[in-house]
Amino acid sequence: MIMRVIRILEKRMAPLLQVRDLTVRFDTMDGVVHAVSGVSYDLAAGETLAVVGESGSGKSVHVLAMMGLIPKPPGRIAGGQALFEGRDLLTLPEKEMRALRGGKIGMIFQDPMSSLNPVLTVGFQIVESLRKHIGLSKSAAWKRAAELLDLVGIAEPHRRVKQYPHQFSGGMRQRAMIAIGIACEPKLLIADEPTTALDVTVQAQILDLVRKLRKQLGMAVIWITHDMGVVAGIADNVQVMYGGRIQERGPVRAVFRDTRSAYTWGLLQSLPDHDAPAAAGVAGAHRLVQIPGYPPDMLRPPLGDPFAPRNRYATERCLTEVPPLVQAEGAAPGHLVAAWYDLRQVRATQGAALHGATA
Ligand SMILES: Nc1ncnc2c1ncn2[C@@H]1O[C@H](COP(=O)(O)OP(=O)(O)OP(=O)(O)O)[C@@H](O)[C@H]1O
Ligand SMILES: [Mg+2]
């Protein structure tokens, strides 16, 4: 009896998703692309994690790999695990994976036109998902589809539910995608830059909506974005990726206020001053500064810390040895950094912000 209670408690307390050493490669004509290397993290039930980083840093590939959605070949999982409720997504048979996608794990992608089927009504696409994953009857599913459109803020849902994607505006299509993503009340919603193509007002409305739904449904969210303003507005934790690796990770305020990775610092420096992180307490987020240099060529990834060649504070060791992602010294619990240098020391001795910006 006690053992059973312990097992139930353990299950409740275990993270919803445990990613361990996830490594993804693409075998191309030009060579092997090191897209994702040794990515490890835990996602708690109900947690919202923002994943940020420049183009090509492995943000999309890491989630696509977990969902069994990278093209194989050229893609391959070269190692690791992604335990969702204790089951490894990376080795799950395709049939079970299909049951999870759109069921316990909802997904929203950047371009709704390529994800929505243009020849089926929006309502039908929601109904299909509801019938397949939770076995609703036809009439119950249509009723629920209209409720979902209403929930995501689409006016006249009973009329809209019978329309085709091209009859929706861009913002409405994105909302419809969210409706499909959350239709089966997933435990985890994965959103890959779902608001990038939208104007700021619609973007803000969608963020509001996701915040509301997260509370209502208690779902965990992985939100991939380029926008630090979105991070400040929506996430509990932020994970900064570069060159297929996690550079820094932790509670949003801790990472913004007590930045430990030179790469994160560079990203924050590149924000215009009206961005939301300023309100979250980012010192020095008031000038648009580009990080000098170029992202690494993932066909020939650097030997050590991938950011080292662009980091003027890199040490000899950064160039030759990949730093592990560990708890940052004297930082908030769960604030992790992968760096051989100590950004606090560098900033104290340099007395100014990095990359030539004024603090
Ligand atoms: N099908 C593919 N074949 C070869 N390489 C690929 C393929 N898909 C992705 N890659 C490579 O994997 C790396 C990671 O790409 P990924 O799409 O995850 O970047 P990202 O961080 O999502 O960038 P963005 O912000 O532009 O969406 C890149 O170097 C990319 O070129
Ligand atoms: Mg991407």
Side-chain angles (χ1 to χ4, degrees):
M1 173 68 185
I2 290 177
M3 283 316 285
R4 231 183 106 203
V5 173
I6 290 175
R7 267 201 295 276
I8 291 171
L9 282 177
E10 268 176 2
K11 206 174 163 196
R12 279 218 183 134
M13 276 156 40
L16 180 67
L17 177 70
Q18 292 171 284
V19 186
R20 291 289 172 270
D21 234 358
L22 176 61
T23 301
V24 187
R25 302 283 181 256
F26 290 95
D27 300 310
T28 70
M29 301 274 275
D30 300 322
V32 181
V33 179
H34 294 237
V36 174
S37 299
V39 162
S40 300
Y41 64 91
D42 286 351
L43 183 79
E47 173 183 339
T48 297
L49 171 69
V51 179
V52 300
E54 277 168 302
S55 193
S57 56
K59 303 180 300 293
S60 298
V61 167
H62 110 271
V63 291
L64 291 172
M66 289 196 283
M67 299 311 295
L69 293 174
I70 53 164
K72 294 181 195 168
R76 79 185 137 89
I77 310 277
Q81 283 187 317
L83 302 174
F84 177 77
E85 296 185 320
R87 283 192 298 169
D88 187 4
L89 298 175
L90 304 182
T91 55
L92 219 53
E94 178 55 26
K95 197 172 156 215
E96 285 178 49
M97 197 67 229
R98 267 205 303 270
L100 273 185
R101 286 197 291 259
K104 280 192 175 181
I105 306 182
M107 291 175 295
I108 320 170
F109 294 106
Q110 182 169 359
D111 174 14
M113 258 341 231
S114 64
S115 317
L116 289 170
N117 189 333
V119 301
L120 300 173
T121 63
V122 170
F124 184 83
Q125 297 181 56
I126 302 176
V127 165
E128 221 181 6
S129 176
L130 289 168
R131 298 199 67 192
K132 178 171 143 203
H133 292 291
I134 42 180
L136 287 190
S137 71
K138 224 180 195 170
S139 61
W142 276 101
K143 189 163 164 264
R144 181 73 186 137
E147 282 169 11
L148 280 161
L149 289 190
D150 185 43
L151 189 70
V152 297
I154 291 179
E156 301 182 79
H158 291 282
R159 184 169 70 85
R160 291 292 188 178
V161 87
K162 297 190 198 102
Q163 291 187 335
Y164 292 87
H166 72 265
Q167 292 170 290
F168 278 40
S169 70
M172 278 166 60
R173 281 197 288 267
Q174 205 62 48
R175 284 163 190 264
M177 279 295 297
I178 295 179
I180 295 174
I182 60 162
C184 302
E185 306 197 354
K187 294 218 163 141
L188 169 62
L189 179 70
I190 297 177
D192 193 351
E193 309 211 36
T195 58
T196 313
L198 304 174
D199 72 56
V200 218
T201 325
V202 182
Q203 210 177 92
Q205 287 169 355
I206 301 233
L207 289 185
D208 264 353
L209 170 68
V210 171
R211 267 192 294 261
K212 206 170 78 195
L213 293 172
R214 193 183 55 184
K215 243 191 223 153
Q216 267 174 26
L217 307 175
M219 67 186 177
V221 179
I222 297 179
W223 191 282
I224 297 175
T225 179
H226 276 109
D227 186 337
M228 287 293 201
V230 171
V231 177
I234 196 173
D236 304 308
N237 289 307
V238 57
Q239 183 159 298
V240 182
M241 289 184 68
Y242 186 81
R245 297 181 184 277
I246 300 175
Q247 291 282 327
E248 183 164 13
R249 176 195 158 88
V252 173
R253 283 181 86 85
V255 172
F256 281 1
R257 290 186 161 195
D258 183 21
T259 308
R260 298 302 183 97
S261 156
Y263 178 59
T264 313
W265 184 249
L267 282 183
L268 292 173
Q269 289 288 307
S270 70
L271 291 173
D273 59 348
H274 53 78
D275 258 279
V282 185
H286 49 261
R287 269 182 44 178
L288 191 74
V289 182
Q290 289 298 327
I291 304 177
Y294 298 96
D297 173 4
M298 297 320 286
L299 282 165
R300 285 164 215 83
L303 203 56
D305 175 348
F307 188 59
R310 291 169 82 184
N311 178 8
R312 57 199 262 211
Y313 301 103
T315 63
E316 205 49 42
R317 197 175 185 188
C318 300
L319 293 165
T320 54
E321 203 181 325
V322 176
L325 185 70
V326 292
Q327 171 70 38
E329 227 181 278
H335 185 174
L336 315 178
V337 68
W340 292 125
Y341 54 88
D342 184 341
L343 195 66
R344 280 176 313 175
Q345 262 177 25
V346 170
R347 282 169 61 188
T349 52
Q350 303 288 327
L354 303 187
H355 308 302
T358 47

